Amino acid sequence: MTTLPRTASGERAAALAPQLTAWRRHLHANPEVGFHEVQTSAYIAAELGKLAHLEISRPSETSVLAVLKGQKPGQTVLLRADIDALPITEENSFEFVSKNQGVMHACGHDGHTAILLGVAKLLSETPEEVSGEIRMIFQHAEEIGPGGAEELVRDTPLMDGVDVVTGLHLSSQLPTGVVAIKPGAFMAAPDMFEITIRGRGGHAAHPEEAVDPIAVGAQVVTNLQHIVSRGVSALDNLVVSVTYFQAGTTHNVIPDRAELMGTVRSFDPELRQRAPKLIERVLKGVTEAHGATYTLKYEMGYRPVINTDWVADKLMTIAQAEVGEHAQLAKPSMGGEDFSAYLTKAPGAYFNVGSGNALLESDYPHHHPRFTLDEESLVTGVRMLHAAALALGQG
Ligand SMILES: [Zn+2]
Ligand SMILES: [Zn+2]
């Protein structure tokens, strides 16, 4: 890596590196899934309790809020880290591997939590430098729809008076040290569907007496691909993926039903509303053509993350000051994020910090059983978020 610009945030974040690693490794070894972050939230609250000048509260059972009131007037800024893990059995072999069988920090939320603890520590050491009010939310249940953010925004006063919100996601798909930011559409709306195709079961030797839901289901899967390739402009972003196809029990019986599931990803609200109609049209036509029937259950997931232009621009300026040429324009992602819930209440922007390093094998995709972080990325995260808190607080 080339030398980075020297800044106060940069130097203070670098000095925090051993502590960031210790926090992250403790969290990594003790993962808990969404809505069950009991030990995790207790640990966060205990670590925050060691710091001065913070008001610590529990907006929901397993989330933690730390508020720092700066000594200069300014804006109210919300910084967000998600804290939950995934139901995945870890396949890493380092000494801080998950102690909770079948649960793993495979998305980097252990890193997000360590980063926000680090930012809380730096801010709490110098309240005289801080303008406005910095709220730091350690949010539960990002990985489980409808998500912890939705609950906090709907049921608590967390967002009351917030002027601007930001947060970051580490990315194993970007090299360590890169900060990637983008105005506008950044992450997709992740919607899901479940389809049941009902035919008529029978003997496999006499398909003419049955209505084969597997043959019909296969046609449905093929025809759903036409929605994206033939039904939507190449300039619009849409993904339709069938991810589950279950039918039958043995080799000589035609079953009476097939179950399919999948996901639809989009940014544009109009296209998002149109997608289920396009799916239903295919489903209706194909099943009718072959004498089968269907049911479609369609569920809207998180809203898309659409970054506010001025906030993204400001973060880009901060990134250029902090990491120089490692500041990049991000590409939009078809992944989803419940960070979008905060953006219904205040302007804001979400961004990525790279944690991928082939030498450390920290470039496995997110949600992979071998996922891990290059811990150098924690320093970059603190540096960015600390600088952002100070700048956004000034307004
Ligand atoms: Zn994830
Ligand atoms: Zn995540």
Side-chain angles (χ1 to χ4, degrees), residues 288-310:
E288 221 167 73
H290 300 288
T293 58
Y294 71 92
T295 51
L296 169 65
K297 200 176 132 205
Y298 201 92
E299 218 174 287
M300 296 289 184
Y302 301 151
R303 294 170 197 85
V305 176
I306 311 290
N307 285 335
T308 310
D309 290 355
W310 71 261

Side-chain angles (χ1 to χ4, degrees), residues 30-50:
N30 298 281
E32 293 170 303
V33 295
F35 298 107
H36 297 276
E37 306 95 331
V38 177
Q39 305 296 331
T40 306
S41 57
Y43 178 74
I44 293 165
E47 291 304 303
L48 291 169
K50 297 175 187 171

Side-chain angles (χ1 to χ4, degrees), residues 80 82 84 86 106-109 112 142-143 169-170 187 336-337 350 366-367:
R80 176 271 207 164
D82 42 8
D84 58 322
L86 285 154
C107 201
H109 301 186
H112 304 168
E142 188 281 325
E143 299 280 7
H169 207 298
L170 294 167
M187 296 184 79
E337 244 294 341
Y350 198 54
H366 292 251
H367 297 201

Side-chain angles (χ1 to χ4, degrees), residues 3 26-27 48 61 86 94-95 104 118 137 142 162 198-199 225 233 238 248 277 282 288 315 321 330 353 361 364:
T3 23
H26 175 90
L27 293 159
L48 291 169
E61 223 166 293
L86 285 154
F94 37 64
E95 80 273 17
M104 177 188 175
I137 182 70
E142 188 281 325
V162 169
R198 285 198 182 73
Q225 306 311 313
S233 162
L238 185 73
K277 293 179 193 122
V282 166
E288 221 167 73
L315 289 171
V353 170
E361 297 192 328
Y364 282 96

Side-chain angles (χ1 to χ4, degrees), residues 3 23 47-48 102 139 190-191 204 208 217 230 233 239 255 258 280 287 292 336 359 373 380 382:
T3 23
W23 277 326
E47 291 304 303
L48 291 169
Q139 179 215 308
D191 302 329
E208 74 281 5
R230 305 290 87 177
S233 162
V239 170
E280 181 138 34
T287 52
L359 296 174
L373 301 172
T380 311
V382 169

